[in-house]
Amino acid sequence: MQVVELTVTLLDTPYPVTRRLRVPVAITLVGLHQVLQAAMPWDNSHMFDFTLGRTLRWAKPGPDDWGDTRSASRERLAEVLAEMGRKRAFTYTYDMGDSWEHEIRPGKPAALDPGAEAVALLAAEGACPPEDSGGAPGFDYMLEAAADPAHESHAEMLDWLGDFFPWNPAADAAALADRVRKVGARIAKRL
């Protein structure tokens, strides 16, 4: 089986949020979306798309899709890698309202080492902001307001953040790896 390592970076955060993953090149983009949801971790409650440059877009088919949008359910990562040409990265956007953009940089495809899992979290840096926090600017505002007792939104942000405050920017790599392992086991059965 051919696999590829992906370096996934959440853009525009006040500290680095990066994941290094191994996935099969035969994974669909919906499958890759599921792996990314587990690795960040997001709760898979919003729309998503993958884009390459300005012209190629893959998304789960829906009523708001337009023009040349390709099906993320049918397209495989191998096809995206073939389309990349000299480009070094493509983009995964989750939650079109908050617009959490992730840069995905693939390595070179290689044969899976014997005994290795086809889907795996290899490294994690930085905790992902909580779901529905307003994107990077909204999250920055929340942290600022929660940390400042004199801020007009202090109590509201403490209430909204709940268990997320005080914010710990360290990723729990073991818990994330377990989530990815479970999703990967389901995906591997379909390949």
Side-chain angles (χ1 to χ4, degrees):
M1 172 183 297
Q2 289 283 301
V3 294
V4 64
E5 286 189 18
L6 304 174
T7 301
V8 181
T9 304
L10 181 60
L11 302 176
D12 300 323
T13 54
Y15 53 87
V17 178
T18 303
R19 306 290 184 260
R20 197 164 48 89
L21 300 158
R22 179 178 52 236
V23 297
V25 297
I27 196 170
T28 65
L29 294 181
V30 166
L32 179 56
H33 159 74
Q34 293 167 348
V35 171
L36 293 168
Q37 289 290 298
M40 291 316 285
W42 298 114
D43 14 348
N44 198 15
S45 58
H46 297 284
M47 299 289 292
F48 69 92
D49 71 13
F50 292 90
T51 56
L52 177 60
R54 294 181 186 179
T55 57
L56 290 177
R57 178 178 185 260
W58 297 267
K60 193 168 180 184
D64 296 331
D65 287 343
W66 61 86
D68 296 330
T69 300
R70 298 180 187 181
S71 171
S73 301
R74 290 192 300 267
E75 292 280 329
R76 301 202 176 270
L77 179 57
E79 294 156 336
V80 175
L81 297 175
E83 295 268 8
M84 287 184 74
R86 298 179 66 113
K87 291 181 175 66
R88 297 177 55 124
F90 60 102
T91 303
Y92 166 68
T93 303
Y94 174 64
D95 185 349
M96 302 319 183
D98 284 0
S99 295
W100 293 110
E101 287 194 0
H102 308 71
E103 177 189 73
I104 301 177
R105 290 187 171 267
K108 292 188 187 249
L112 179 64
D113 290 335
E117 294 178 273
V119 178
L121 176 70
L122 305 174
E125 178 184 7
C128 196
E131 195 89 33
D132 295 324
S133 56
F139 182 58
D140 286 345
Y141 176 83
M142 293 174 92
L143 290 179
E144 178 184 307
D148 181 2
H151 195 284
E152 65 183 330
S153 300
H154 176 73
E156 178 186 357
M157 291 304 109
L158 282 179
D159 184 51
W160 194 98
L161 286 167
D163 292 341
F164 288 106
F165 194 81
W167 184 250
N168 179 0
D172 183 352
L176 296 176
D178 189 51
R179 286 173 54 103
V180 169
R181 188 176 302 107
K182 288 175 183 171
V183 168
R186 288 193 306 267
I187 290 170
K189 289 178 185 176
R190 294 179 279 194
L191 294 177

